[in-house]
Amino acid sequence: MHDADAAIALLKGASAAAADVFKTILTRGPISRIDVARLLGLSQAAVTKAVGPLIDVGLVSDQLELPRDGQPGRPANPVMVVADALVSIGVKVNADEIIGVATDLTTHVLAVDRRPLTTTDRDAVVDAIEAGVRRLGDLLGDRAGRICAVGVSVSGDVDTGRGIVRESAIMGWTGVPLGQILSGRLGRDVLVENDVRALTIGEHWFGVGVGTDLFAIVTIGRGIGSGLHINGDVVEGAYGVAGEIGHLPLTSPDRVCPCGRRGCVEAVAATPAIVAEVSQGHGKDLTIGEVVDLAHRGDPIAVRTFEQAATVIGTAIAVLANLTGPQLVIIGGEAVSNFDLFETHLRAAYAAHAFGAAGRCQIVTRPHTFEDWARGASASAIRRLAENRA
């Protein structure tokens, strides 16, 4: 049975224990009821009571065929989420493009829509998001009736609870009630989330964070951001701000950040800052591709600029590690494709400033496409529904 309306109603009305059971099956399945009970500290009877309605509405199945292991006795009967029972929409907002994806419950991408932006004017961006979401519905065909959630991710200070973009330097927005506007346009609730936090939620539920207690994501590109996953959950901060290493004051106060403050990491290490520095040094406007090419060819201005950026990023990651002690830091973002220009000085700066055992933290790169960022927005919306968050 696949009754999308009944499934959504069940999740929205779930008790805390039932929500935990569904979330565990979603992120850990296939998994036995016994293991669900053990992980959550619930009785097997409580787990069975929660699983029954999930099976009835088609969200969960216990009909998975597994090979027998030759051991005597009744084999465990695992349960797993029916991934295509519901569909979620995720949208990543960039200054020059809207990227939208439709995914199943495990964030497997079912459809993609990309549309350019020629302005960051609020109304124009809202129009583009609405058009993209509606286009995804068209691409889904009959499955559009299974859409359960919409998530939108934006760079900056985002009040997720109220759906307000409080400040986004990249978009030039202040106090934009994006969630309310989009909900009115689309006729359904819309979750608005910080883009790096959304990416971290996606990794937490469906990537490296599954079963991992403590990791961080650092993104390098148009901005420098980070998301924190501590003690099994993504850190949101009391006021919706956490992990903003791009705005640590680690550089000269002469450097003005797009956020309006001085000395921020982004003022030196973000892609626009690197391009501006090298362009000024050469007395002409350059693109990031040209700047990267110059650095690879050993141009002293470009090489020095990337080294300076790498040093401040490595220092910022050391600050992050000293404060939170992650096992793993994943470096992502569009600039990862040029990580060879950052790596040596970034790792040296990290080693110089990491305190004691924090230096044992592993730093790895993981390329993320903009579709991955949009998947993070979808994962954020799925998480809100699965955890029955208001």
Side-chain angles (χ1 to χ4, degrees), residues 9-376:
L10 178 65
L11 293 176
K12 287 185 174 180
S15 66
D20 284 343
V21 168
F22 176 69
K23 181 174 68 171
T24 302
I25 297 170
L26 174 61
T27 58
R28 302 291 188 97
I31 186 171
S32 71
R33 291 170 176 84
I34 294 173
D35 286 337
V36 173
R38 177 180 56 80
L39 285 170
L40 297 178
L42 297 173
S43 68
Q44 291 185 44
V47 172
T48 298
K49 181 180 178 181
V51 168
L54 294 170
I55 292 175
D56 290 342
V57 298
L59 278 170
V60 167
S61 174
D62 61 357
Q63 299 303 308
L64 184 66
E65 292 291 335
L66 292 179
R68 293 178 177 270
D69 60 8
Q71 297 298 317
R74 181 181 177 185
N77 196 18
V79 288
M80 66 181 299
V81 163
V82 179
D84 64 354
L86 295 174
V87 176
S88 176
I89 302 293
V91 178
K92 171 69 168 82
V93 178
N94 287 333
D96 58 359
E97 185 181 26
I98 300 292
I99 303 98
V101 297
T103 79
D104 66 18
L105 286 173
T106 62
T107 69
H108 172 73
V109 175
L110 306 173
V112 179
D113 179 80
R114 302 182 72 139
R115 51 194 62 229
L117 290 175
T118 57
T119 174
T120 59
D121 173 75
R122 184 194 76 175
D123 292 339
V125 174
V126 168
D127 287 344
I129 295 172
E130 179 185 8
V133 171
R134 297 199 186 283
R135 175 58 179 160
L136 288 168
D138 292 340
L139 292 172
L140 287 168
D142 292 342
R143 290 181 294 185
R146 301 181 194 174
I147 295 175
C148 64
V150 177
V152 176
S153 68
V154 185
S155 171
D157 178 358
V158 176
D159 183 340
T160 302
R162 296 193 297 161
I164 297 173
V165 181
R166 289 183 290 218
E167 181 181 351
S168 175
I170 287 175
M171 298 303 294
W173 290 354
T174 301
V176 174
L178 189 61
Q180 179 183 352
I181 296 169
L182 287 172
S183 294
R185 290 283 197 97
L186 298 172
R188 61 172 75 243
D189 290 341
V190 176
L191 175 75
V192 181
E193 182 62 273
N194 168 269
D195 58 349
V196 182
R197 194 158 59 230
L199 187 66
T200 307
I201 289 168
E203 291 288 358
H204 169 209
W205 274 41
F206 304 110
V208 298
V210 176
T212 301
D213 286 334
L214 217 161
F215 74 90
I217 291 180
V218 172
T219 56
I220 305 174
R222 298 175 189 178
I224 308 296
S226 82
L228 300 173
H229 174 276
I230 297 176
N231 296 330
D233 206 354
V234 176
V235 177
E236 298 183 1
Y239 305 104
V241 177
E244 289 288 348
I245 67 168
H247 300 288
L248 291 174
L250 298 179
T251 66
S252 168
D254 294 336
R255 304 301 291 265
V256 180
C257 182
C259 75
R261 298 167 182 84
R262 293 180 175 273
C264 295
V265 170
E266 281 191 11
V268 167
T271 297
I274 292 172
V275 171
E277 179 85 359
V278 180
S279 295
Q280 182 180 19
H282 283 276
K284 61 181 180 179
D285 290 336
L286 299 169
T287 67
I288 181 59
E290 291 169 332
V291 169
V292 168
D293 183 60
L294 284 170
H296 280 142
R297 289 192 284 114
D299 175 77
I301 297 172
V303 169
R304 183 177 67 250
T305 302
F306 274 104
E307 289 176 351
Q308 176 181 246
T311 297
V312 74
I313 293 170
T315 304
I317 295 174
V319 172
L320 181 72
N322 290 345
L323 289 172
T324 62
Q327 301 160 290
L328 178 70
V329 171
I330 304 162
I331 298 181
E334 62 266 30
V336 166
S337 60
N338 306 310
F339 191 65
D340 59 306
L341 298 173
F342 294 94
E343 184 166 16
T344 299
H345 284 76
L346 185 153
R347 292 187 183 278
Y350 178 82
H353 295 286
F355 178 76
R360 294 163 55 188
C361 171
Q362 186 180 7
I363 298 176
V364 301
T365 60
R366 178 167 176 164
H368 289 104
T369 67
F370 282 125
E371 287 181 17
D372 291 326
W373 290 78
R375 286 177 63 238

